[in-house]
Amino acid sequence: MSEINNVSNVDKVKIGIITDSASDLTDEMYKKLNIEVIPFYVEVNGKSFRSGVDISVDELFAISRKEKKIPRTSQITPINFIEYFTKYLEKYEQIIYISIGSGFSGTFNNVCLAAKEIGDNKIYPVNSQNLSSGEGLIVLKACELRDEGKTCEEIVKELEVIVPKTKTSFVIDTLEFLHLGGRCSGTARLFGTLLNIKPIIKVVDGKMMVAKKPIGSYKKALDIMLNSFIADVDKINLDRVMVTHCKADSDAQYLIENIKKYVPKDHIFETAAGSTVASHCGPRTIGILYILK
């Protein structure tokens, strides 16, 4: 993950691809494709950390358990963005910034404010309308288009077509984190816990919605999500299918083994959810993410 302090005066690269730490790609992907990452801040009991830099998800949950507090994320401010972009413009002529969806955070609006302040068509903000590796898939597509020699305008135009075709669904094991994060009422949490509901959440029109509320085992919820993917498989761009999770290694292997029946193994990518998803959804959250043709 790139850090602002690592940017130095070198011959400028034409286009820089930058995203936030909610994009949940692997460190290898970020490094190999020259993707710069600006970290969100995550807070536990008044202590603030840079996601993926100062704290890991394991450490985040450990502190959360010790302090008996649910972690909270804070968005990157316009001033922060101006500082980052000013420094990165020493390295890049222009920047495309792919942001977590505006329905989940005010970050995209802050990017736009910073871009306007910097001016001169230097910063091109893209609202992913998504989160986690759903956002990451759009970042990867931006890298492909950059490497094809497309201009910033051409890349942004193509990404805007891809954004609504990016599909995200995930299973949540506990309603506690959604409740304390304000995305689930106390009543819904109580009945959901009593009935052992493992909700399947989808991103629709840039917002999270409950697609199904299966009662029973976690595996039952995984199978429902998997069957929904299989029903879509003829419409899916199979270049990349993401399985992204938070502390759900065995569940990830179960999904991958079944997805391999429909998708070439080397086109399936397992990534770990970072602090943003972890803070809002909790451990044993897992999703399947892909782009439609």
Side-chain angles (χ1 to χ4, degrees), residues 60 64 90 94 136 186 233 235 242 271:
L60 180 68
S64 180
E90 295 176 10
Q94 295 175 303
V233 76
K235 299 179 286 184
M242 315 297 286
T271 74

Side-chain angles (χ1 to χ4, degrees), residues 21-180:
S21 56
S23 52
D24 287 347
L25 299 175
T26 66
D27 288 342
E28 181 184 3
M29 288 176 174
Y30 290 132
K31 184 176 181 180
K32 182 178 180 180
L33 297 172
N34 297 315
I35 301 165
E36 312 284 2
V37 183
I38 298 179
F40 276 109
Y41 282 85
V42 58
E43 299 177 4
V44 184
N45 202 24
K47 298 177 182 177
S48 184
F49 308 90
R50 290 173 298 170
S51 175
V53 178
D54 302 321
I55 192 168
S56 68
V57 170
D58 284 335
E59 292 167 334
L60 180 68
F61 284 139
I63 294 172
S64 180
R65 284 192 296 270
K66 180 181 178 181
E67 302 288 348
K68 297 182 180 179
K69 295 283 186 180
I70 294 295
R72 297 181 180 275
T73 54
S74 59
Q75 62 193 33
I76 306 159
T77 68
I79 292 174
N80 291 151
F81 274 122
I82 290 171
E83 291 174 351
Y84 275 107
F85 291 153
T86 299
K87 194 67 178 177
Y88 279 126
L89 284 170
E90 295 176 10
K91 181 177 180 181
Y92 302 106
E93 294 179 8
Q94 295 175 303
I95 289 169
I96 295 174
Y97 187 92
I98 295 99
S99 168
I100 186 173
S102 58
F104 308 107
S105 167
T107 300
F108 176 70
N109 184 57
N110 292 345
V111 173
C112 292
L113 291 172
K116 185 176 180 181
E117 180 68 24
I118 290 172
D120 294 328
N121 294 320
K122 295 290 187 181
I123 313 297
Y124 290 74
V126 175
N127 183 355
S128 74
Q129 293 291 328
N130 222 301
L131 76 170
S132 190
S133 57
E135 174 188 356
L137 282 166
I138 297 165
V139 174
L140 295 176
K141 188 63 180 178
C143 292
E144 281 184 12
L145 297 170
R146 173 203 61 194
D147 295 343
E148 290 172 7
K150 305 277 189 182
T151 66
C152 282
E153 291 85 356
E154 290 169 335
I155 294 171
V156 170
K157 187 175 180 180
E158 291 202 36
L159 294 183
E160 287 172 348
V161 173
I162 292 166
V163 163
K165 296 180 179 180
T166 306
K167 302 301 177 183
T168 294
S169 62
F170 49 96
V171 175
I172 292 177
D173 186 45
T174 172
L175 296 173
E176 180 183 10
F177 284 69
L178 284 178
H179 166 60
L180 294 176

